[in-house]
Amino acid sequence: MKFKRGFIALITILWGVRCIAQNEDHQAVYQAPKYEKEWMQPGLHPDRIVLNYGADPTTTASVTWRTNMEVKTAYAEIAKATAAPKFWRTAKRFIAKTSLLDGSKVNNAGIVAGYHSVTFNELEPNTLYGYRVGDGDHWSEWIQFKTASKSDDKFSFLYVGDAQNYILELWSRLIRQGFQKAPDARFIVHAGDLVSEAHSEAQWEEWFRAGSFIHGMIAGFPTPGNHEYDPLFTEHDNSPEQLSIQWRPQFTLPENGPKGIDNLKETAYYMDFQGLRMISLNSSEYRQEQAAWLKEILANNPNKWTVVTFHHPLFSASEGRSNTEWRELLKPIFDEFQVDLVLQGHDHSYARGRVAPKEYNLTSGVNKREQTGTMYVVSVSGGKMYRLNKKGWQQWGAEKDRDAENTQLVQVITVDHDTIQYRSFTATGELYDAFDLIKNKKGPNTLVDRKNEGIAARYHNNTISYYDKLPLDIENAVLAKYKGFKIDIVSIRPDINGGIYYDVDLEKEQSAAGISLKINEAGVIFEEEIDH
């Protein structure tokens, strides 16, 4: 009977979506799953298994996992994978590094866990391996991955913007669609805001469950966003924001970033993969120091292609945003070293474009529009959506080639010798955007724009409505109180008593100022957060 009740409770948690009320437009009110603390607790059996490559993915790879603190010694075993069921007889065993993560007093954490990691060294290039993790009695399944080749062989990787909101409910379908489109992808670029509340065990649990075995099979290449930073303790309102306490324990990433800055470890780093230098920058802190480091690693880059990822876009896609200092810092570096592709998040919409290259001595008959400098992309993979900036990118001297609103997207990027093939897909599998970049011996890349091969452009006015509405009397009262602001986003949320409340974001025109409100059904504002 206990097993039956536990099973029913688990199913209820995983699929806890129901309508609990109706608003005046008869739209269903959505209720997110509720999580019991016990559901997030680690056990003896390994969970949250995640694979990461080292700086040299031809010979190194790392695996990280979690258990409870009863596991004092943990192991990882690895063997060359063959079709024989007992391929594991050739496995080598490694003792894991184990550390305690005590989140018992940390805002939204509350979990004490043991994190274990092993870095496999001296692997053979271009080789399929199987690995498992455990304590000698409690083991994971055998999970397979392939090391990088020493030659510039063709390969693909995935890129996703912010997962952040409705992670288990909605990001799960997106990341699984990406796996369906590119099951042989070698790694996944996560462009920040993997979760909404940095230290939240519930949200990290959603992230790992949504990706499931994908996290352990396709190496993650994550960069932190602003939502990976929060104060540790809510009672200290003026305490500084800190990187998610789970970040470094649960990922094992290259430590080849700027020297002497502990805060940037495993957030600013790079790896070289089959002719591609893949670079992560932390756009939330130590920007000047990273710019100097970036110049160094671009000046000594033996690879044909260069791709950079970070969270805050150089050319913002959504209304009310402009990262001017970040753009003025990085764009000259990208131009100088001819960075090919920049992958970003943060704006909860989609945009793709470039800055027209300076005049080159082009051969006769070459169309300048077919020549491109750095290609910039902003994308979103989770369920939170914003409106596009109506002024586009022309205000910053850039050209936007394709955009979208209210659409979850996953990108499959294929590097094939002198060509990068970029394909963006919706959560239901339609091709939305596409282009090719062709590397030239001199001058900028050649652009082959294939956006017309995708489906029609998607915006808020031709898709299922994302935004809910405030009752008119509450709307008038809010706008009267917060003069100069406009209502940007309204979401209807369930409260703990079975009713609803309104989650409202306000924005000020031509300003980065914003205010988030929580308003009950009686129109009373019971929470206010000012964001500058």
Side-chain angles (χ1 to χ4, degrees):
M1 182 62 72
K2 289 182 179 179
F3 172 80
K4 184 176 180 180
R5 287 199 299 268
F7 179 77
I8 293 173
L10 178 59
I11 294 299
T12 301
I13 290 168
L14 291 174
W15 303 101
V17 179
R18 64 185 177 91
C19 294
I20 61 168
Q22 301 288 322
N23 65 11
E24 71 269 21
D25 294 326
H26 305 289
Q27 294 175 330
V29 177
Y30 177 74
Q31 176 168 312
K34 294 181 179 179
Y35 305 110
E36 299 298 334
K37 188 176 180 180
E38 290 73 16
W39 187 61
M40 299 179 291
Q41 289 284 355
L44 289 170
H45 198 276
D47 69 2
R48 300 190 184 181
I49 301 170
V50 62
L51 178 71
N52 302 115
Y53 284 125
D56 178 7
T58 64
T59 59
T60 61
S62 300
V63 59
T64 312
W65 68 100
R66 187 187 76 152
T67 66
N68 64 24
M69 290 309 298
E70 292 182 51
V71 177
K72 304 300 182 183
T73 304
Y75 309 94
E77 294 183 342
I78 189 168
K80 289 183 182 179
T82 77
K86 294 191 177 180
F87 73 93
W88 48 263
R89 284 182 170 167
T90 64
K92 294 181 180 179
R93 177 176 288 192
F94 296 82
I95 298 177
K97 293 180 180 179
T98 296
S99 61
L100 167 69
L101 178 63
D102 185 353
S104 57
K105 296 180 180 180
V106 175
N107 182 29
N108 293 319
I111 300 291
V112 178
Y115 280 85
H116 316 280
S117 66
V118 166
T119 295
F120 303 117
N121 292 307
E122 299 181 359
L123 301 177
E124 295 182 20
N126 199 32
T127 301
L128 186 68
Y129 284 92
Y131 74 89
R132 68 173 182 171
V133 299
D135 63 1
D137 294 317
H138 309 88
W139 290 100
S140 71
E141 71 274 33
W142 285 94
I143 305 170
Q144 296 184 165
F145 75 96
K146 193 175 185 180
T147 53
S149 171
K150 283 190 174 294
S151 59
D152 295 351
D153 297 344
K154 178 181 177 180
F155 72 95
S156 297
F157 67 94
L158 299 176
Y159 147 57
V160 291
D162 307 35
Q164 190 180 342
N165 304 90
Y166 316 106
I167 304 169
L168 183 59
E169 301 95 304
L170 295 176
W171 187 68
S172 55
R173 70 175 189 147
L174 189 285
I175 196 63
R176 295 170 193 178
Q177 181 64 241
F179 179 76
Q180 284 183 278
K181 291 294 183 184
D184 292 326
R186 307 302 294 278
F187 56 90
I188 306 175
V189 173
H190 300 273
D193 283 5
L194 285 65
V195 295
S196 186
E197 298 173 349
H199 316 299
S200 170
E201 280 290 340
Q203 291 177 19
W204 283 116
E205 182 72 14
E206 286 193 49
W207 190 83
F208 276 98
R209 287 188 178 243
S212 187
F213 68 88
I214 299 172
H215 294 308
M217 189 174 175
I218 303 178
F221 194 94
T223 193
N226 55 295
H227 280 273
E228 268 73 62
Y229 285 82
D230 268 333
L232 290 178
F233 312 108
T234 53
E235 61 266 28
H236 303 305
D237 293 335
N238 296 321
S239 61
E241 293 186 339
Q242 296 188 32
L243 180 67
S244 166
I245 61 170
Q246 294 90 347
W247 187 271
R248 295 197 65 196
Q250 73 189 8
F251 299 127
T252 303
L253 301 165
E255 295 188 20
N256 55 5
K259 295 179 180 179
I261 306 176
D262 286 344
N263 283 22
L264 292 179
K265 283 185 177 179
E266 297 183 272
T267 65
Y269 60 96
Y270 71 93
M271 72 172 179
D272 293 337
F273 199 103
Q274 295 178 198
L276 167 71
R277 175 154 288 184
M278 186 73 233
I279 302 169
S280 166
L281 298 178
N282 183 339
S283 58
S284 293
E285 55 179 338
Y286 292 99
R287 290 178 167 183
Q288 293 288 343
E289 293 82 354
Q290 289 180 82
W293 169 76
L294 179 63
K295 286 184 178 181
E296 292 178 7
I297 63 172
L298 291 178
N300 298 283
N301 180 7
N303 298 274
K304 180 175 294 184
W305 296 99
T306 304
V307 177
V308 181
T309 185
F310 47 81
H311 186 60
H312 297 85
L314 262 60
F315 301 101
S316 295
S318 297
E319 287 184 352
R321 298 187 171 210
S322 178
N323 302 301
T324 304
E325 292 182 4
W326 189 229
R327 180 173 61 254
E328 292 177 351
L329 178 65
L330 288 188
K331 185 182 176 298
I333 301 174
F334 294 161
D335 291 346
E336 178 183 356
F337 294 99
Q338 297 183 6
V339 169
D340 300 291
L341 186 60
V342 174
L343 308 176
Q344 307 148 110
H346 190 57
D347 283 352
H348 297 272
S349 56
Y350 179 81
R352 183 263 292 182
R354 59 230 160 86
V355 177
K358 295 179 180 178
E359 293 291 346
Y360 287 90
N361 293 323
L362 302 179
T363 59
S364 178
V366 173
N367 186 338
K368 185 179 176 182
R369 279 193 54 81
E370 295 175 355
Q371 305 296 302
T372 184
T374 304
M375 185 68 78
Y376 295 90
V377 184
V378 182
S379 191
V380 58
S381 60
K384 182 179 181 180
M385 299 292 156
Y386 288 169
R387 292 185 177 92
L388 285 168
N389 186 331
K390 295 177 182 177
K391 295 182 179 179
W393 289 2
Q394 288 83 0
Q395 59 186 312
W396 302 303
E399 183 175 355
K400 187 167 64 172
D401 296 319
R402 181 69 153 155
D403 58 20
E405 294 174 318
N406 202 25
T407 305
Q408 291 176 264
L409 292 164
V410 59
Q411 287 68 225
V412 179
I413 300 171
T414 301
V415 182
D416 186 4
H417 298 94
D418 290 334
T419 303
I420 280 184
Q421 300 169 347
Y422 173 101
R423 304 292 183 266
S424 181
F425 295 95
T426 69
T428 47
E430 300 98 341
L431 179 66
Y432 187 77
D433 189 20
F435 64 84
D436 298 339
L437 295 178
I438 301 173
K439 180 68 69 174
N440 295 310
K441 291 182 179 179
K442 293 183 179 180
N445 297 327
T446 297
L447 169 67
V448 181
D449 200 328
R450 301 184 181 277
K451 64 186 176 188
N452 292 333
E453 298 175 12
I455 61 174
R458 294 173 56 84
Y459 301 110
H460 280 293
N461 62 8
N462 63 2
T463 55
I464 295 174
S465 177
Y466 174 77
Y467 297 106
D468 295 307
K469 294 180 180 180
L470 275 177
L472 187 58
D473 57 336
I474 298 178
E475 178 180 334
N476 290 338
V478 167
L479 295 177
K481 180 176 181 180
Y482 298 95
K483 297 184 183 300
F485 285 85
K486 66 174 184 177
I487 294 174
D488 183 43
I489 299 174
V490 178
S491 297
I492 301 176
R493 307 287 194 189
D495 65 26
I496 59 175
N497 299 315
I500 63 169
Y501 69 89
Y502 303 100
D503 203 345
V504 181
D505 286 350
L506 305 178
E507 287 191 352
K508 182 171 283 189
E509 289 282 3
Q510 306 301 323
S511 170
I515 300 174
S516 296
L517 307 174
K518 297 189 188 312
I519 308 172
N520 67 20
E521 291 180 89
V524 177
I525 298 170
F526 63 89
E527 186 174 315
E528 177 190 72
E529 181 179 344
I530 298 174
D531 180 12
H532 295 291

